[in-house]
Amino acid sequence: MKKISGQTAWGKWAAAFLALVAVFFLSVQVGQAASATKIVLDDREVTGARDVLTVKGTTMVPIRVISEELGYAVGWNPSSRQVTVGPSGDRLTLTLGSRAADSPQGPITLEQAPFSQSSTTYVPLRFVGTEMGLKVKWDNGAKTVFLTSPPALEQPGGTGPNDDVDPPAEVPGGTPTTSASVEQVSFSENRLMISTSGNVTPKVSAVASPNRIVIDLPDTSFSPVFAEAQGLLVGQQGSIAAVGSADVTGIRFALNNDSPMRVRVVIDLNKAKSYETYREGNLIFVDLNRQSGPSTPGVGDDGKKIVVIDAGHGGSATGAIYAGGPTLMEKDVNLDMALKVEALLKQVDGLDVVMTRSDDTAVSLQGRVDIAESLNADIMVSIHANSMPKGTKPTSGTETLYTKPESKQLAETIHKHLIAATGLPDRKAKYQNLHVDRESNLPTALVETGFLYAGGDVDKITDPAWQNRVAEAIAAGIEEYLGL
């Protein structure tokens, strides 16, 4: 995470408003939405953005979308309906429904009060620019808001931008700073994966009555994105499911208020089970498939290729939402498809598969990249369903996206199989400025299987037979690209 200073500090805290979306709704008199409005952040169109709104002549932008792209912390006081953004002593405070805000530089008067509508929190466009350090440009002809992040600054004495790393931000509830943080906990293939930032040495032990494996991470806290998505305060416990495991009944985790802080992760077992713990970069694995011993192969050993399957969105980042019948969220559609692809690839000899998430948890965009790079993966494939802004002409089709030139062949190979399976209009394999490809050092493709909205491809997307064909096509494209 690059460090920025001075007035630009508000830009790095934009994502902290994620918690607002799921908690508050405030009705206001809203003007007509701009037709087919787009938001472009750092030369990349923000997918899934709702329309920009106007309130009494003031342009209001969805802070939730901006925050998901930047990924930082927030505090919330339910009794006062106040949101705090930033670390203690250097904090911005806003109140839903109020134009008054407080900053370290003194009181601020907003053009219009922050509000929530259709599960999206809006703030004045000018506020985004002046208080969050983003350069803002409104192109009325193109109906597009252009937002540009400030450049990262080097810390005195540093040798480059990568030396400029922020300490872990506060977890809701006022957690002290620690030397490492948990970014993600996931479970697949009878293997627990913990993604961390910072250096941490796990202490792992087996415990009986009841049978469980306990992983302690000293001097460690939850990252803001992970804590907010799980709704965790100090001492509270979260959990994820262990789908498909005959040995594990569940995984739970909590932040213990020790000195220093300590994250504990527990694998609950239905019987005693051998395991091995090993590391791949910043990833900690507790593998129940392995017997202890130095000769046991790890992820990617024995010449196996490593494929990372990324289910787009997750947690509070729902992605596109279809409300034409039973509510259908893109994050769930993506995960279902990703699990189908994983199951198929697990049957392929010479291949190891790792999921960036295996249940409904949030993973930052950079966190997805970090998982793939910690594994030194051969490729990463991110799975999505497409969305369209309100008021646009109904659109149908399948597309596969890439950013780096070295990712083009991967995208084209997968797309060749994909378009034959979906039966939808061919929107091609094509360039788009994607964080997961741009910021990674491995070929990465992002699949948009179809359009998840009324008038789009929802009938196909919800058809189990279609889902199976598409999963088989994605897996076939991966196998062909890797020469398996």
Side-chain angles (χ1 to χ4, degrees):
M1 188 184 303
K2 308 296 190 299
K3 185 169 184 175
I4 52 179
S5 60
Q7 189 71 3
T8 63
W10 304 125
K12 93 187 250 291
W13 297 329
F17 283 92
L18 281 169
L20 295 177
V21 179
V23 183
F24 311 122
F25 296 89
L26 183 69
S27 58
V28 295
Q29 184 67 33
V30 179
Q32 184 178 5
S35 176
T37 301
K38 296 190 296 185
I39 298 176
V40 176
L41 175 63
D42 294 333
D43 299 321
R44 178 175 53 84
E45 183 177 349
V46 176
T47 59
R50 294 179 181 271
D51 289 348
V52 169
L53 303 177
T54 57
V55 179
K56 298 180 180 178
T58 299
T59 302
M60 307 291 287
V61 294
I63 193 66
R64 174 180 182 269
V65 176
I66 301 167
S67 65
E68 287 176 356
E69 299 295 326
L70 299 179
Y72 299 92
V74 69
W76 167 245
N77 186 327
S79 60
S80 63
R81 297 187 304 173
Q82 288 184 328
V83 180
T84 57
V85 186
S88 177
D90 191 19
R91 181 169 287 170
L92 179 68
T93 302
L94 299 93
T95 303
L96 290 186
S98 173
R99 294 176 57 198
D102 291 322
S103 76
Q105 290 75 35
I108 300 171
T109 301
L110 305 177
E111 301 167 82
Q112 293 293 336
F115 67 90
S116 288
Q117 177 174 290
S118 301
S119 301
T120 299
T121 301
Y122 291 86
V123 296
L125 175 61
R126 186 176 299 174
F127 168 77
V128 174
T130 59
E131 298 302 327
M132 293 187 175
L134 298 172
K135 293 182 179 180
V136 181
K137 178 182 177 182
W138 166 248
D139 187 328
N140 190 57
K143 300 298 181 186
T144 300
V145 179
F146 292 95
L147 303 172
T148 305
S149 300
L153 301 179
E154 291 188 22
Q155 200 171 21
T159 59
N162 291 332
D163 296 320
D164 196 16
V165 180
D166 289 330
E170 290 185 326
V171 174
T175 302
T177 298
T178 53
S179 62
S181 62
V182 171
E183 304 287 339
Q184 171 70 347
V185 178
S186 65
F187 185 85
S188 64
E189 297 190 60
N190 232 27
R191 182 174 60 202
L192 177 74
M193 182 183 73
I194 305 172
S195 174
T196 66
S197 65
N199 185 27
V200 57
T201 301
K203 299 178 180 179
V204 186
S205 58
V207 182
S209 300
N211 290 304
R212 59 199 186 276
I213 300 170
V214 178
I215 305 100
D216 279 330
L217 306 173
D219 196 18
T220 302
S221 61
F222 292 131
S223 76
V225 171
F226 184 77
E228 289 158 16
Q230 296 288 330
L232 295 175
L233 302 178
V234 174
Q236 290 186 326
Q237 181 174 288
S239 64
I240 60 175
V243 179
S245 175
D247 304 307
V248 180
T249 59
I251 295 99
R252 48 197 168 92
F253 39 81
L255 179 62
N256 296 309
N257 194 12
D258 298 343
S259 183
M261 305 294 292
R262 171 173 55 93
V263 168
R264 168 167 285 185
V265 183
V266 178
I267 305 174
D268 289 315
L269 304 170
N270 55 30
K271 59 182 178 181
K273 179 71 178 177
S274 61
Y275 65 91
E276 186 171 356
T277 303
Y278 55 94
R279 305 198 56 151
E280 301 282 354
N282 286 334
L283 303 180
I284 300 168
F285 289 95
V286 180
D287 196 336
L288 277 66
N289 302 306
R290 303 175 63 183
Q291 303 294 324
S292 297
S295 62
T296 310
V299 177
D301 288 351
D302 293 343
K304 288 185 176 181
K305 302 287 188 180
I306 301 175
V307 175
V308 173
I309 299 297
D310 172 42
H313 303 286
S316 58
T318 62
I321 298 177
Y322 171 73
T327 299
L328 190 61
M329 297 185 183
E330 184 194 345
K331 64 176 183 176
D332 299 324
V333 170
N334 298 342
L335 181 59
D336 288 345
M337 182 63 69
L339 291 171
K340 290 178 185 294
V341 174
E342 179 201 23
L344 292 167
L345 293 177
K346 284 166 62 175
Q347 302 173 32
V348 179
D349 292 335
L351 190 63
D352 273 331
V353 188
V354 175
M355 302 280 286
T356 59
R357 67 180 182 97
S358 55
D359 70 343
D360 185 21
T361 55
V363 190
S364 69
L365 294 176
Q366 188 57 44
R368 300 166 198 261
V369 172
D370 291 342
I371 288 171
E373 294 198 335
S374 291
L375 291 166
N376 194 26
D378 291 273
I379 62 171
M380 177 163 61
V381 177
S382 187
I383 297 176
H384 289 252
N386 229 328
S387 64
M388 291 293 291
K390 295 177 181 178
T392 59
K393 183 179 179 181
T395 303
S396 172
T398 298
E399 60 190 13
T400 307
L401 309 175
Y402 64 91
T403 300
K404 301 190 300 288
E406 54 266 38
S407 299
K408 182 178 180 181
Q409 183 183 351
L410 172 63
E412 290 178 341
T413 303
I414 292 175
H415 190 77
K416 175 181 66 176
H417 292 268
L418 191 62
I419 198 63
T422 65
L424 299 175
D426 186 357
R427 292 173 58 86
K428 308 298 181 183
K430 57 190 177 184
Y431 169 89
Q432 186 165 313
N433 197 347
L434 307 166
H435 183 107
V436 290
D437 192 15
R438 184 185 68 242
E439 301 300 324
S440 68
N441 294 316
L442 66 153
T444 300
L446 188 149
V447 170
E448 297 277 12
T449 58
F451 282 82
L452 186 65
Y453 75 105
D457 305 315
V458 69
D459 290 342
K460 295 279 191 181
I461 289 172
T462 54
D463 176 12
W466 184 88
Q467 295 168 5
N468 290 334
R469 288 199 306 272
V470 171
E472 290 169 359
I474 296 172
I478 290 171
E479 290 180 59
E480 179 181 335
Y481 177 83
L482 294 175
L484 298 174

